[in-house]
Amino acid sequence: MSAANIYKIRRPLILLTLAAFASSASFRVCDPMLPVLAHLFGQTSGQVAVVITVFTISYGGMQLIYGPLGERLDRFRVITVATAGCALGSVGAAVAPSLEWLVACRLLTGVAAAGIIPLSMAWIADRVAVNHRQSVLARFFSGQIMGMVFGQVLGGLFVDAGTWRFAFWCLSALYVLIAFALWSDVDSRQPEKKHDDKAPPSVASLYLAAFRLLHARETRGVLFCFLIEAALVFAVLAFMPLYLHEHFGLSLSKASLALVLYGLGGLLFSIFAARMGARLNRFAFPTMAACLVAVANGIIFLSSQAIWVFVAAMISGFGYYMLHNALLFQMTQRVPQARSLALTLSVSIFFVGQSIGVGIAGWLADQGRLPQVFLCAAVIMPVIGWLTGRRVRAF
């Protein structure tokens, strides 16, 4: 699809980006609420943290369901229904009379939100030619990045105002508007083009195909890079505010600004990517991206002032989204006959990597060796960038 033809699908692209924005906001909206929820429901912060955990687990687990669904059904319709499901879950969370009710509604929201971003990327990949796809995906990522920042800010603002439920009401209204707009656009589009006229594959054959992708020559290297990338990046990201708090004496609210700057770095990349276009799909870019993340972690490890950690956070955000963009692009190109399956599998592997990385980083933090997390990321990330670069194909 040429740049001129991309204009024809601009409306659904915008709607999908907004849906991704809301989905990402749901991820982070509960982060600032834990102390308030603990007091309200008479539990510890660790006990109420299940409202975050259940969303994450359901989101990751549901990728195994949405992958086959995306291959058998119209992806745009599945995304529309998923967005409506998020609205329902958010309304339930807003009126939750108990912690159990809130957990159940967060579970529902995670189940629904899991179908938005991966299937949106597959939908985009089916309609945008390779020479424009990476820059279009980067613009789509900007919705996710801003959504994460928005979710944290939204939750924090309403917590400070003593009206935490209004954060869920805002998300509910946003989901309803987006779902309505998506639904009104469903019938105005041409049906999704299939690669052939054969009957849809069976669910069993799709799961077998997913298993084959784990060790297939064209995908196993990319999936491995997804795993290690997620482990390293999120080990650092999860404990960066704690590091600022413990080593530089910053309050946790001020330390959390590092995460905002991280998101801003990713947003800058999305602007950069739109200008670079097809040139992003070259060996040098993922290698350079990983080196940026490595340099940022080296700065954090060596820094003697908090300001340098904030600078490093923005550099790391830019480099991470640059590398992640390259990996996702490769998955859209390597399995064109089953993009939904490939992308949802990538997300599942990504969540496994996050869990491994955060778990190891938490153990190191308990041992008083949190700086070693930044050192490991600084040393290993260039290797991941080099491996990713080797797998980049020139199209």
Side-chain angles (χ1 to χ4, degrees):
M1 177 176 284
S2 67
N5 288 333
I6 292 175
Y7 181 83
K8 296 179 181 179
I9 60 168
R10 187 176 65 169
R11 174 180 162 82
L13 281 174
I14 292 172
L15 293 178
L16 293 176
T17 302
L18 288 173
F21 172 88
S23 175
S24 296
S26 291
F27 251 109
R28 302 268 67 96
V29 72
C30 286
D31 291 1
M33 296 182 183
L34 296 186
V36 173
L37 295 177
H39 176 74
L40 177 66
F41 296 118
Q43 306 286 336
T44 67
S45 294
Q47 289 172 322
V48 297
V50 69
V51 300
I52 297 174
T53 305
V54 73
F55 184 99
T56 305
I57 292 174
S58 60
Y59 189 102
M62 281 300 294
Q63 301 304 321
L64 300 175
I65 305 298
Y66 281 113
L69 278 179
E71 297 303 324
R72 293 177 60 85
L73 304 176
D74 183 296
R75 291 167 187 156
F76 202 88
R77 291 180 186 273
V78 174
I79 295 165
T80 302
V81 173
T83 305
C86 289
L88 183 62
S90 297
V91 169
V95 300
S98 65
L99 180 60
E100 292 76 15
W101 182 290
L102 181 60
V103 168
C105 292
R106 288 291 291 170
L107 174 66
L108 172 60
T109 308
V111 166
I116 294 176
I117 292 175
L119 295 190
S120 294
M121 290 189 293
W123 188 91
I124 291 169
D126 280 347
R127 286 159 177 77
V128 180
V130 293
N131 56 326
H132 295 289
R133 187 182 304 155
Q134 202 159 356
S135 59
V136 172
L137 285 173
R139 289 195 290 269
F140 174 76
F141 292 153
S142 67
Q144 302 175 52
I145 299 164
M146 290 188 290
M148 288 186 181
V149 175
F150 175 78
Q152 289 179 320
V153 172
L154 182 71
L157 285 175
F158 283 112
V159 165
D160 290 342
T163 55
W164 63 271
R165 294 180 187 272
F166 277 84
F168 291 112
W169 282 119
C170 286
L171 285 176
S172 301
L174 182 61
Y175 276 125
V176 167
L177 291 173
I178 296 170
F180 179 78
L182 287 168
W183 185 257
S184 65
D185 200 60
V186 165
D187 294 328
S188 65
R189 300 174 304 100
Q190 294 179 348
E192 288 192 357
K193 293 181 179 180
K194 301 297 180 182
H195 293 283
D196 50 46
D197 296 326
K198 296 179 181 178
S202 67
V203 173
S205 67
L206 287 169
Y207 281 117
L208 182 60
F211 177 76
R212 288 171 178 165
L213 288 177
L214 288 173
H215 57 82
R217 183 174 179 271
E218 65 269 21
T219 54
R220 65 192 178 199
V222 180
L223 291 173
F224 173 78
C225 289
F226 265 117
L227 179 74
I228 305 302
E229 174 211 39
L232 293 173
V233 168
F234 282 88
V236 169
L237 197 59
F239 290 93
M240 194 182 296
L242 179 63
Y243 182 74
L244 284 165
H245 175 68
E246 291 184 347
H247 287 260
F248 300 103
L250 272 65
S251 67
L252 286 173
S253 59
K254 290 182 179 178
S256 296
L257 290 175
L259 303 181
V260 176
L261 290 172
Y262 189 92
L264 181 59
L267 190 59
L268 288 175
F269 164 69
S270 69
I271 298 171
F272 169 82
R275 297 173 183 269
M276 293 302 298
R279 285 174 288 176
L280 284 169
N281 189 34
R282 294 181 181 173
F283 171 84
F285 282 93
T287 306
M288 182 173 67
C291 287
L292 282 174
V293 178
V295 168
N297 282 285
I299 291 172
I300 296 172
F301 179 75
L302 297 172
S303 61
S304 58
Q305 296 180 355
I307 185 63
W308 291 110
V309 179
F310 288 111
V311 172
M314 181 176 288
I315 296 172
S316 185
F318 187 98
Y320 161 68
Y321 280 100
M322 190 174 180
L323 176 62
H324 196 62
N325 181 271
L327 286 169
L328 284 170
F329 174 80
Q330 287 301 307
M331 289 305 291
T332 66
Q333 196 60 24
R334 287 169 181 265
V335 194
Q337 73 280 9
R339 286 194 172 111
S340 294
L341 202 62
L343 288 167
T344 53
L345 181 62
S346 300
V347 172
S348 296
I349 296 293
F350 190 74
F351 269 85
V352 171
Q354 284 187 47
S355 301
I356 293 172
V358 173
I360 294 174
W363 180 80
L364 288 172
D366 290 342
Q367 304 297 314
R369 294 187 286 175
L370 185 55
Q372 293 184 15
V373 175
F374 307 112
L375 180 61
C376 288
V379 172
I380 300 174
M381 280 304 295
V383 179
I384 298 303
W386 179 75
L387 289 174
T388 304
R390 283 188 62 190
R391 283 158 176 77
V392 166
R393 296 176 179 177
F395 294 99

